[in-house]
């Protein structure tokens, strides 16, 4: 249904093949950032501004050796309500060459009430390939009170090395019928995000992010918690217990810790945009503009 | 009497099996399970768990995630307790446990369990031979769920009981962590364990006998919070 191949042409990353079919459309601007930038940006657009019940979208990307490709969106991906219990899905398969970089930096997915949606992203790469994935979801049209009111959301991100060895296998499932009221487990958090930074070119950014997240969180977890007690007085003004509005943690993964996973839970979408902007800003020289500007 | 399904019977009989099975589930077995809080300590410090209702909900959510993410590994290992299958499951689980805190806890608990089981259950010599072969290779992480499934299979648990047993010890360990964190007293803990048991059984029935390819996490907030364990100002547990 859609595919893009990026290869070196005259020493520069170029889309040598680009094909898309309704309801998916790819838009490749001629230039992003300075003329020194060697990156192909691909905007993925859905006709109608969102994913309609029953849509099945699949695309394949190939990033040639030493090339850079960025995949992004023009706005959040809205998944509309399910009609007749149909599930919509998006499948992405990407092959990343040696010393190449693929950055997938979309806006978040927002599933409307009763929506059923499944996405799967499978990556195949070499040990010196580089990959950045941002995968995130908001609770719905939370201003109108729709909070985690969709029926099914499942997101899979699988990363394999050349020999087929699994490096990273992650599936998140939120399903009303199976696991119960999703809102209950989310407390007041409206956004769940995941960032993967993988490969030698990402080392520097990984170190910065780890330090930054450690600082944000250590500040919030300063005070040791009091033990619970039946006699504990509640609701004293100066003993106000609040959950942090932004929670993040980092995990290294892979042989030689070549990968970093960041997980985020936040009360507002804006706070996550701000976080992503800040953490991914060092990518500017590689892709031409800082992500999530 | 449990009947083994789908693999060769170990070389000892009947009632004696039950002594070994109970010993595997007894908290007395020195497997170091009590160094881990399953994210409870971090949940308390981020104020996700503030009272006994929150604690009960937390335990249920941990069991839900155990069912969806880890039961497939217990199931597969107990059904096919070969060296090859165990190593395959170990590798897949290593890529699946993307949370570094829970990945390290799994390796620590699995290694300890395998060491203890191969020494204690000497009437099942395959445990020791498999352990020695795996140590020699250096590429086996000894993750907990597959090791547990392997040992259950070797001790004559049927496939449902193996998975139920894994849910049981997970609940046992989380509630034990809660008492050590002073969130609940010993009697309260016993009451909670009994109250949650039927809920755990429903969770088991939902997720049991699933393929490893379907393993998924269902509690992303708890996963994020558990990952914060390393940032805690003061901690009792290693995870």
């Amino acid at each position: 249904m859609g595919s893009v191949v990026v290869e070196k042409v005259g020493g520069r990353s170029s889309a040598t093949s680009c094909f898309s079919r309704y309801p998916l459309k790819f838009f490749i601007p001629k230039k992003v950032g300075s003329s020194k930038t060697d990156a192909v940006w691909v905007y993925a657009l859905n006709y109608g501004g969102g994913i309609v019940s029953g849509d099945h979208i699949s695309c394949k990307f190939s990033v040639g050796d030493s090339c850079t490709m960025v995949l992004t969106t023009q706005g959040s991906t809205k998944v509309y309500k399910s009609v007749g219990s149909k599930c919509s899905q998006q499948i992405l398969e990407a092959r990343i060459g040696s010393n190449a970089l693929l950055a997938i930096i979309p806006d978040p997915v927002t599933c409307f009430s009763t929506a059923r949606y499944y996405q799967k992203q499978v990556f195949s790469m070499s040990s010196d390939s580089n990959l950045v994935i941002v995968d995130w979801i908001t609770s719905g049209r939370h201003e109108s009170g729709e909070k985690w009111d969709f029926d099914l959301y499942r997101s899979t991100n699988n990363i394999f090395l050349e020999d087929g060895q699994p490096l990273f296998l992650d599936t998140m499932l939120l399903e009303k019928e199976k696991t119960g009221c999703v809102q209950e487990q989310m407390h007041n958090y409206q956004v769940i995000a995941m960032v993967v930074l993988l490969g030698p070119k990402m080392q520097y950014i990984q170190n910065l992010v780890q330090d930054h997240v450690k600082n944000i969180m250590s500040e919030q977890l300063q005070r040791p918690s009091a033990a619970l007690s039946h006699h504990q007085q509640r609701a004293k003004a100066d003993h106000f217990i609040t959950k942090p509005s932004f929670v993040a943690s980092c995990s290294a993964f892979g042989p030689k810790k070549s990968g970093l996973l960041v997980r985020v839970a936040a009360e507002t979408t804006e706070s996550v945009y701000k976080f992503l902007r800040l953490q991914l800003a060092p990518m500017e020289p590689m892709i031409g503009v800082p992500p999530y500007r | 009497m449990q009947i083994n399904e789908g693999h060769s019977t170990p070389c000892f009989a009947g009632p004696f099996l039950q002594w070994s099975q109970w010993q595997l589930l007894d908290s007395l077995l020195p497997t170091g399970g009590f160094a881990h809080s399953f994210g409870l300590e971090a949940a308390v410090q981020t104020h996700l768990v503030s009272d006994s209702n929150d604690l009960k909900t937390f335990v249920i959510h941990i069991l839900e995630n155990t069912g969806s993410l880890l039961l497939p590994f217990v199931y597969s290992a107990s059904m096919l307790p070969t060296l090859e299958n165990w190593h395959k499951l170990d590798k897949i689980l290593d890529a699946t446990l993307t949370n570094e805190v829970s990945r390290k806890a799994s390796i620590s608990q699995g290694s300890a369990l395998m060491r203890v089981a191969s020494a204690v259950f000497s009437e099942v010599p395959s445990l020791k031979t498999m352990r020695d072969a795996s140590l020699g290779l250096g590429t086996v992480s000894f993750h907990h769920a597959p090791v547990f499934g392997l040992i259950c299979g070797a001790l004559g648990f049927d496939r449902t009981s193996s998975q139920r047993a894994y849910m049981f010890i997970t609940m046992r360990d989380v509630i034990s962590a809660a008492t050590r964190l002073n969130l609940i007293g010993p009697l309260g803990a016993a009451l909670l364990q009994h109250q949650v048991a039927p809920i755990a059984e429903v969770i088991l029935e939902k997720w049991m006998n699933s393929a490893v390819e379907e393993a998924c996490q269902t509690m992303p907030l708890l996963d994020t919070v558990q990952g914060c364990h390393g940032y805690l100002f003061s901690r009792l547990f290693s995870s």
Side-chain angles (χ1 to χ4, degrees), chain A residues 154 165-174 177-181 184-187 189 192-193 210 213-214 217-218 220-229 234 241-244 247-254 257 261 263-265, chain B residues 41-42 44-52 54 57 61 64 69 91-101 103-104 181-183 206-207 210 213-228 230-234:
Chain A
R154 187 161 102 238
Q165 282 266 65
L167 181 59
F168 181 93
L169 301 171
D170 185 66
T171 297
M172 181 171 94
L173 173 69
L174 299 172
E177 214 177 272
K178 200 154 192 187
T179 49
C181 174
E184 192 206 2
Q185 59 144 298
M186 293 297 187
H187 294 254
Y189 297 102
I192 295 289
Q210 276 189 306
V213 171
K214 185 173 181 189
M217 292 313 298
S218 302
Q220 305 203 80
L221 300 168
Q222 276 292 303
R223 268 176 307 126
S225 65
L228 297 184
S229 135
R234 310 264 262 137
I241 297 173
T242 44
K243 301 186 183 102
V247 184
S249 60
C250 294
S251 289
F253 69 90
K257 312 268 176 174
L261 166 69
R263 288 214 199 264
V264 174
Chain B
E41 189 162 31
V44 169
Q45 292 200 29
T46 49
H47 310 297
L48 253 52
V49 174
S50 304
D51 60 31
S52 53
D54 291 344
T57 304
H61 287 173
E64 191 78 56
L69 189 65
K91 255 200 182 74
I92 294 173
L93 186 52
D94 200 55
T96 306
L97 282 172
T98 55
N99 181 316
E100 195 170 11
V101 172
R103 189 169 68 240
K104 286 183 173 165
L181 283 167
N182 252 331
L183 300 172
K206 225 189 310 186
W207 298 106
S210 301
E213 292 70 35
E214 290 165 33
C216 57
Q217 52 145 318
T218 48
M219 299 288 156
L221 176 60
L222 289 193
D223 191 69
T224 306
V225 166
Q226 183 182 26
C228 293
Y231 313 134
L232 299 185
F233 178 68
S234 69

Side-chain angles (χ1 to χ4, degrees), chain B residues 149-160:
Chain B
L150 194 69
I151 295 168
C152 278
L155 293 184
F157 281 84
D158 63 71
R159 63 182 178 180
T160 306

Side-chain angles (χ1 to χ4, degrees), chain A residues 115-147:
Chain A
R116 300 177 71 82
Y117 174 70
Y118 166 49
Q119 85 183 16
K120 183 171 184 177
Q121 308 191 129
V122 183
F123 306 91
S124 178
M125 53 196 285
S126 315
S127 51
D128 65 344
S129 308
N130 302 279
L131 177 60
V132 174
I133 308 169
V134 177
D135 187 5
W136 52 318
I137 172 173
T138 69
S139 60
R141 292 172 287 194
H142 47 254
E143 310 81 25
S144 353
E146 241 180 50
K147 294 181 180 180

Side-chain angles (χ1 to χ4, degrees), chain A residues 230-251:
Chain A
H230 300 298
H231 316 296
Q232 190 166 321
Q233 301 289 327
R234 310 264 262 137
K236 275 183 97 180
D238 53 330
H239 199 57
F240 199 76
I241 297 173
T242 44
K243 301 186 183 102
S245 60
F246 187 93
V247 184
S249 60
C250 294
S251 289

